[in-house]
Amino acid sequence: MPSPKTSERTAQALQRVAAMFEAKGWKVLASEPGSTGPDLVVRRRGKRYGVVLKATSEGRADRVIPLLSQAVLEARAYALQSRGSMPLAVVHVDHAPRALIANVMAFAQEFAAEVAVGFVSAEGASEFLGDGLADLNVSAPFRPRQVRGTLIPADNLFSDLNQWMLKVLLAPELPEGMLNAPRGQYRNGVELARAAQVSAMTASRFLQQLRRERFLRESQEFLTLVQREELFERWSSVAPYGTADVPARFLANIQIEDRVQELLNKVEGDACLGLFAAADGLRMGHVSGVPRYICVRRMPRFNRASPGSNPWNALLPFPKEAPHVLLRVARFPESTFRGAVRRDGVMVADVIQVWLDVLNHPTRGREQAEHIFRKVLLPLV
């Protein structure tokens, strides 16, 4: 148990870390009150670590890295005094932005490679570097930050066209083929408006909102987004939730991939593959077994009286059998369809749109969103 001088935050952090190790089969011994030495000693399968833990509420690199450095020095010193014990330095924070975790672990690998390190957050995320510690790693689900139990309002910063302009500003940093947008740099709203094909007034208001929210760096020659971890968290608050999807089945029950491509090519600009199917098209697929989603600008009308004049008549809505596709009206059609890219002969939603659209999907949507964020969006942060 922690000593009486240990802060309540540190005591809670020690309990959380001890419980993590015990859940994975480690034997955990806490230090005696007032004793010198590591905060915890953990043992499993011939491995023994002396754990030094530091806790803080501030999820900032300038606060966390000095604490980690102190923990590394203490853990190393205790290990030298104890036979057979390896040093493990752990930092616990209340809120851990993903960029912070990446920065802290990169620092540890470069400057403390001989010491095992761990990063734990009260939100459930944990990452460890060290022999036998890999099964302690947990990725916390990406979720919008909350204030007083309520989601931060999206305001107009994430209106349809504003989301499109955010994509335009991020486009040069995304891998080729992930987003259909100009890949330039812009000095002002006029240049941004021209590239994004929006009105100058729309671009000007958008930049004013970014400045007001402190997401725009003023000192750069070109418009540059900053505080991107916070920006992505705010952006995720507009992710669709509980949408009314329409199941449909092709009347010609053969070569479904070809039928999908044929249909989407006929309605290009008003529909594209979305969600998990789009992730597969972008080579970012992580979840299988979900029907193909087709995002549409508006729900199509099926007119059986004139079967040849309407491409959507190739589909039977609400079939008795398992659907070939699910139709979903895009909540932000301009951002969705302007950013859509052609992959393997068919239009698919861009990688940012897919991240947003799968985020709240009940079938492993967060897992797919985590995969996209880690592979594509985290490097932008």
Side-chain angles (χ1 to χ4, degrees), residues 245-248 290-296 323-328 361:
D245 304 322
V246 173
V290 183
R292 301 173 188 84
Y293 273 85
I294 294 179
C295 294
V296 296
H324 292 140
V325 296
L326 295 173
L327 304 180
R328 171 178 289 194
H361 195 282

Side-chain angles (χ1 to χ4, degrees), residues 39 79 115 145 157 171 175 187 234 280 326 368 377:
D39 298 304
V115 176
R145 185 172 296 177
L157 181 58
R187 293 180 175 84
R234 289 278 303 277
D280 291 339
L326 295 173
Q368 175 67 73
L377 302 184

